[in-house]
Amino acid sequence: MNDLQKGHMFNVLSVLMLAVGPLLSKFGLLQISPAKAALINVLTIITACFLLGFFTKNYVKFYFEKDIILLAIFNSLGIIFLFLSIDLLSPVEIGFLGRFYTVFAVILSVIFLNEKLSRKETFFITFAILGAFLFVEVGGDYTNNIIGSLFAITYTFFFALTNIFIKKSMTKQKSSNSIMFTNNCISLFFVLIYALILGELFNGNYSYEGIGFLIISTLFGGFLGTLLLYEALKYLRFSIANVTRAFSPILLAVISYPFFPIEITIKNTIGALILIISILLLTVGEKKEKVK
């Protein structure tokens, strides 16, 4: 398996893991506040990173670097807005609004990473985004909850910005697990301040069932999904890796359908097909470039 194939494999597995997260988080947030959920999320990832390093004998390191500190700040804001949005919206709506991550990721990769897009890549990316918009156009009325929608769009921006700085700080010599460990250790500081300001840090109203849902959600999405993304970014360009992640809303809709049904129409079906075909062609085009 060559580096490009490894990158796409890690990226697809990451998308699968991340698609499960919002549904499980929603069940947890029915019993626990967003501030506590953010705190549980960060603590779970820190613990998982430490245990992974311990059992693999590749112990975690703390990278005290400018780019990693910045990504941790953006990550903190992303986590906070993520749980605020999940608390106000359904998982399906979160997945739909999450399409803006792709838009932000492509724009930020050009601005911060100086990545160049060929005409074909621009064409496929544009159609992938168009397909995502068509797919989510029907089946969700976000005007009923403008604040939740604003939070959802905001968290996608901060996560895209976080991953930009991950890409900037990522090298094959650095452990993905240690980068995630450092990121969340620093993020813990800001999340603690957030929970303290809201007066929820020492509030004893914690549901064991809610904590369980949030821990499992974090292990799938926040830990495994992100760790796999870090590995994918070692082999793939940032813009290509993140356009592929436009599959996530479709997967989340399928998984969440039994709990939060959505309307299936000709419009969003066509959008799904455009999205899938565009991403497949984009991936094939990237492979051909690498071979040359």
Side-chain angles (χ1 to χ4, degrees):
M1 184 180 293
N2 59 37
D3 286 351
L4 182 61
Q5 290 173 331
K6 288 180 183 178
H8 285 301
M9 180 189 71
F10 287 135
N11 204 30
V12 170
L13 290 174
S14 174
V15 170
L16 290 172
M17 294 295 177
L18 290 172
V20 180
L23 177 61
L24 296 174
S25 292
K26 182 65 177 182
F27 289 139
L29 283 166
L30 294 176
Q31 306 175 54
I32 289 181
S33 70
K36 292 176 182 175
L39 185 59
I40 292 168
N41 176 278
V42 174
L43 288 173
T44 300
I45 294 175
I46 291 173
T47 303
C49 288
F50 179 82
L51 291 175
L52 178 62
F54 179 79
F55 287 113
T56 60
K57 304 300 181 183
N58 186 17
Y59 301 108
V60 291
K61 298 178 182 178
F62 192 90
Y63 299 124
F64 195 76
E65 301 174 7
K66 177 184 176 181
D67 284 345
I68 294 182
I69 293 174
L70 284 173
L71 76 86
I73 293 173
F74 299 138
N75 183 63
S76 305
L77 292 169
I79 291 171
I80 290 169
F81 283 113
L82 169 64
F83 285 108
L84 285 172
S85 62
I86 293 177
D87 187 49
L88 295 172
L89 302 174
S90 74
V92 179
E93 290 171 321
I94 293 297
F96 288 171
L97 288 169
R99 73 190 182 276
F100 286 100
Y101 175 88
T102 301
V103 179
F104 291 136
V106 173
I107 294 173
L108 291 172
S109 67
V110 173
I111 296 173
F112 287 96
L113 301 179
N114 297 318
E115 291 194 355
K116 304 295 182 181
L117 298 177
S118 68
R119 290 184 179 180
K120 286 184 178 180
E121 289 171 340
T122 303
F123 178 80
F124 292 142
I125 287 172
T126 301
F127 266 79
I129 294 172
L130 173 63
F133 272 84
L134 284 174
F135 177 74
V136 304
E137 182 75 15
V138 179
D141 182 7
Y142 306 123
T143 57
N144 291 339
N145 200 330
I146 297 175
I147 295 177
S149 301
L150 180 62
F151 286 158
I153 294 173
T154 303
Y155 97 74
T156 62
F157 171 79
F158 281 117
F159 279 160
L161 197 54
T162 296
N163 288 333
I164 284 286
F165 279 87
I166 287 172
K167 181 63 176 178
K168 289 181 68 175
S169 61
M170 180 68 69
T171 65
K172 290 189 177 181
Q173 289 71 39
K174 286 183 180 177
S175 162
S176 300
N177 190 42
S178 291
I179 291 178
M180 183 157 41
F181 176 78
T182 305
N183 176 15
N184 283 276
C185 283
I186 299 173
S187 296
L188 177 62
F189 173 75
F190 295 104
V191 173
L192 281 171
I193 291 176
Y194 167 67
L196 188 61
I197 291 174
L198 293 183
E200 296 189 11
L201 183 59
F202 300 108
N203 185 329
N205 186 22
Y206 286 87
S207 161
Y208 289 115
E209 184 179 359
I211 291 173
F213 275 121
L214 289 166
I215 289 176
I216 295 172
S217 168
T218 301
L219 288 175
F220 274 109
F223 179 66
L224 290 175
T226 305
L227 191 63
L228 288 165
L229 171 61
Y230 288 6
E231 289 298 320
L233 289 176
K234 290 182 179 180
Y235 307 104
L236 297 177
R237 287 164 49 196
F238 183 80
S239 54
I240 299 301
N242 285 292
V243 170
T244 306
R245 304 174 78 76
F247 274 121
S248 186
I250 299 175
L251 291 174
L252 179 56
V254 172
I255 295 169
S256 302
Y257 188 82
F259 308 97
F260 301 93
I262 62 169
E263 182 182 356
I264 303 298
T265 67
I266 294 177
K267 194 171 186 179
N268 54 30
T269 300
I270 292 174
L273 290 173
I274 292 175
L275 177 62
I276 293 171
I277 292 171
S278 298
I279 290 172
L280 288 175
L281 290 175
L282 182 69
T283 303
V284 172
E286 176 74 356
K287 287 182 179 179
K288 288 181 178 178
E289 282 190 15
K290 291 289 184 179
V291 171
K292 293 179 180 179

